[in-house]
Amino acid sequence: MKISEGTEFKIDIKTIISIIIVTSMFVGMYYTLQDDISDAKKMPKAVIDRIEYDLKQDWHTEHINRLEDEVQELRDWCREIDKELSNGKGKNR
């Protein structure tokens, strides 16, 4: 296929409108993003205070300790079940 002066190129109106809409959406998103970037540059930099860090660290520590306690409870429960099964109490079923 050769493209020359005699080559016909057919596009219907729906395709043209779709191309215009998609292009305008991308242009709108670009300018919105540029505006958001310029607003962000004007804002002061976020500072993480030592208090925030300590509070978050305390929360993590408490969460880990709670999970460790729950795991220990589950281990104890499993050991009790194992003892019951090994003593023959589970044979009644």
Side-chain angles (χ1 to χ4, degrees), residues 57-70:
Q57 187 66 29
D58 290 344
W59 182 86
H60 285 299
T61 303
E62 289 174 14
H63 188 68
I64 289 170
N65 289 337
R66 189 170 4 106
L67 288 174
E68 285 176 347
D69 291 342
E70 289 177 8

Side-chain angles (χ1 to χ4, degrees), residues 30-62:
Y30 174 79
Y31 283 111
T32 302
L33 181 62
Q34 292 300 318
D35 188 44
D36 289 345
I37 290 172
S38 66
D39 288 345
K41 286 181 179 179
K42 294 175 187 174
M43 292 181 181
K45 291 185 177 182
V47 177
I48 298 177
D49 292 315
R50 183 67 190 178
I51 295 171
E52 291 178 75
Y53 176 79
D54 289 341
L55 288 173
K56 195 169 197 174
Q57 187 66 29
D58 290 344
W59 182 86
H60 285 299
T61 303
E62 289 174 14

